[in-house]
Amino acid sequence: MRSRTNLIVIMLTGLYLWGNFIPPPIDHPYGLLSLMPVVLTVGLAFFTKNAILSLFIGIFSAGLITTSNPIAGAFKIIDPYLLDSVASKDNMKVLLFSTLVGMVVEILRVSGGTQAVIQSFMRLARGRRAAMTSTWLAGLTVFFDDYANCLIVGSSMKAVTDKAKVSREKLAYLVDSTAAPVATLALISTWIGYEVSLMDKALQAAGQSINAYGFFIDGIGYRFYPILALVFGLTICLTGRDFGPMWNAEQAAAQKNPEHIGYEGSQKGLIWNAILPISGLIGLTAFDLYAQGVAVLGNDAALFEIIGEADGYDAMLKGALFAFGLAVGCASWTGTDTHSIIKASKTGASRLSEALLVLVCAWGIGSAIAELQAAEYLVSVLDNAISPAWYPSLIFILSAIVAFATGTSFGTMGTLMPLAIPLCIKAGADIDITLAVSAAVLSGATWGDHCSPISDTTVLSSAGTECDHIAHVKTQLPYALTAGIVSLLFCSVPVGFGIHWFPCLIGGSAACVTSIFVFGKPTKAA
């Protein structure tokens, strides 16, 4: 602990002395120092594995640079950086939406609704491949939250996969490989408010008036790693082939004769306890987006134009409020007592507190980077040095490295998104490159998160499936690395040179399937 403190003090002291005694270039107010908050944040995240501390110190460093005074710099952390972030009406909608969805998720769990949905998949699980495929499909069902996916799908499908002689390592992989990818791709999830808000702030910092929700939707096709991770997992399920440590784990499980373990759930619930709130969340959000867009553009506009014109934050908040009311009503109707509902609401809200704090700090450092004109400086340095065609690949790799070292997708997104989008726009990159780069931040964060042994979803996947954590990391890593390398070579690189995202995904999917047939082999059941 003392060594970390000493390192932070030394870095900040050096930063202070540099800012006071080394003049910046004439054509930029801060020069190289404009990049220091990002470098400091990423570097500390590597060393401390603490995203909040790293972001907080990064914000302080920005205040120190702009004021050359430690006391004044410390005050700037609160005002304007953090206060302006939470004072924004749109940002408050994001915080409320995320909190409400977290509360809904927990209410669905205690009322037994989500478990009832998972149980419906059990009827499909006859044999190893069917059990694995059912688990993969269950992961798609719990699309609205990666934590919920890890814990609910993992604990609910243990009985099914054990009976089918599927290893806990394989179960943990299927849970982990659907949790974050589905959450980051879904149009309604606990991730979307965070992702859209980061894009919105980055676009504003670059002087663009593009609708952030429309920008988010347009970039879904460029989320190469999450899509290919799902393709990879489904292929593993359908073919029954494995390679590396996973094959050894599956081979060992196939030789066992485990007894069927009863279904685990908090209480027996009705499937409608989950379907109605989730449908209400999606339905009302979609309807409000459409209604808002039509009110501005009329019925003749294209669907994506209509949705892009709407206030996504407002629609998501309305949907979340409606879903919360439905979740409480359904839980009460089916016998969940009021005390349990209140406790679940508090638990669901508190579970997201750390993520929301990361979000606020990410907004703060985004504002700081904009004030320091970091993107302008980076563009001037990279001008004619690195072609924008390589931006999607480089950002994807950088995002993965940061996420692997820190174990947090959210912290990685919050650190890199405020820099990546303005960099593209100010470098004159076209809209396709900009969309690909914004998606590369999210995709790389997901990839690094999958590979990281300290990732929250990696840990929760091990916990939810009762799989040894080190065994889960060892068996999942070759699969995640393969899908990530394919994403880079077959998607990120070609799209940077003008290839449309759709043929890139087709090629990447084919490469994933081919790699499984080349390197994998079927499990020999007892």
Side-chain angles (χ1 to χ4, degrees), residues 503-520:
C504 291
L505 275 179
I506 296 298
S509 298
C512 285
V513 174
T514 301
S515 66
I516 291 171
F517 276 94
V518 170
F519 299 112

Side-chain angles (χ1 to χ4, degrees), residues 292-302 304-309:
Q292 289 185 53
V294 168
V296 176
L297 300 177
N299 291 308
D300 296 331
F304 277 86
E305 293 177 345
I306 291 173
I307 294 176
E309 189 63 34

Side-chain angles (χ1 to χ4, degrees), residues 263-274:
Y263 169 73
E264 297 177 15
S266 54
Q267 73 171 55
K268 185 177 181 180
L270 297 176
I271 194 171
W272 295 106
N273 283 22

Side-chain angles (χ1 to χ4, degrees), residues 132-451:
M132 291 188 291
T133 305
S134 297
T135 302
W136 186 87
L137 290 172
L140 300 188
T141 301
V142 189
F143 61 86
F144 43 83
D145 184 73
D146 57 329
Y147 288 179
N149 194 315
C150 293
L151 297 174
I152 295 173
V153 177
S155 61
S156 301
M157 297 302 289
K158 283 185 297 185
V160 179
T161 52
D162 284 352
K163 184 178 181 180
K165 298 183 180 182
V166 175
S167 68
R168 289 293 176 88
E169 289 87 347
K170 174 63 72 62
L171 174 60
Y173 162 71
L174 293 175
V175 168
D176 208 351
S177 63
T178 54
V182 171
T184 192
L185 290 171
L187 295 180
I188 301 295
S189 74
T190 53
W191 286 46
I192 185 174
Y194 181 77
E195 294 170 333
V196 172
S197 69
L198 291 177
M199 292 178 180
D200 188 30
K201 296 301 177 185
L203 289 168
Q204 290 181 23
Q208 300 295 308
S209 58
I210 300 173
N211 181 278
Y213 194 82
F215 185 83
F216 171 86
I217 293 175
D218 288 340
I220 288 178
Y222 295 91
R223 303 290 176 78
F224 299 125
Y225 178 75
I227 295 173
L228 293 186
L230 293 173
V231 171
F232 200 95
L234 179 61
T235 305
I236 288 289
C237 295
L238 295 177
T239 62
R241 304 175 75 91
D242 291 288
F243 58 88
M246 186 69 80
W247 186 86
N248 296 327
E250 284 290 273
Q251 190 62 39
Q255 308 304 317
K256 296 179 180 179
N257 292 294
E259 296 181 359
H260 175 67
I261 302 173
Y263 169 73
E264 297 177 15
S266 54
Q267 73 171 55
K268 185 177 181 180
L270 297 176
I271 194 171
W272 295 106
N273 283 22
I275 291 180
L276 285 178
I278 294 171
S279 300
L281 174 61
I282 297 171
L284 184 60
T285 302
F287 174 78
D288 194 63
L289 285 170
Y290 184 78
Q292 289 185 53
V294 168
V296 176
L297 300 177
N299 291 308
D300 296 331
L303 180 60
F304 277 86
E305 293 177 345
I306 291 173
I307 294 176
E309 189 63 34
D311 183 347
Y313 302 125
D314 193 60
M316 288 188 294
L317 182 57
K318 290 177 182 176
L321 283 167
F322 185 55
F324 178 73
L326 286 175
V328 171
C330 290
S332 299
W333 183 263
T334 53
T336 305
D337 60 273
T338 303
H339 175 74
S340 297
I341 294 174
I342 294 174
K343 183 179 179 180
S345 299
K346 292 179 180 178
T347 301
S350 63
R351 187 167 58 85
L352 290 175
S353 58
E354 184 174 350
L356 295 182
L357 183 55
V358 170
L359 174 57
V360 171
C361 290
W363 286 333
I365 201 168
S367 299
I369 290 171
E371 182 183 4
L372 291 170
Q373 301 177 39
E376 289 87 344
Y377 177 75
L378 196 57
V379 168
S380 67
V381 172
L382 296 178
D383 187 30
N384 299 321
I386 298 178
S387 168
W390 291 104
Y391 287 178
S393 303
L394 295 176
I395 293 296
F396 177 65
I397 295 172
L398 178 60
S399 183
I401 291 173
V402 174
F404 177 82
T406 61
T408 169
S409 299
F410 275 31
T412 301
M413 295 173 191
T415 300
L416 297 183
M417 190 68 78
L419 190 62
I421 291 179
L423 170 64
C424 288
I425 293 174
K426 295 181 186 300
D430 60 34
I431 186 62
D432 292 324
I433 295 291
T434 306
L435 287 169
V437 166
S438 67
V441 174
L442 307 181
S443 298
T446 305
W447 183 29
D449 186 86
H450 273 175
C451 297

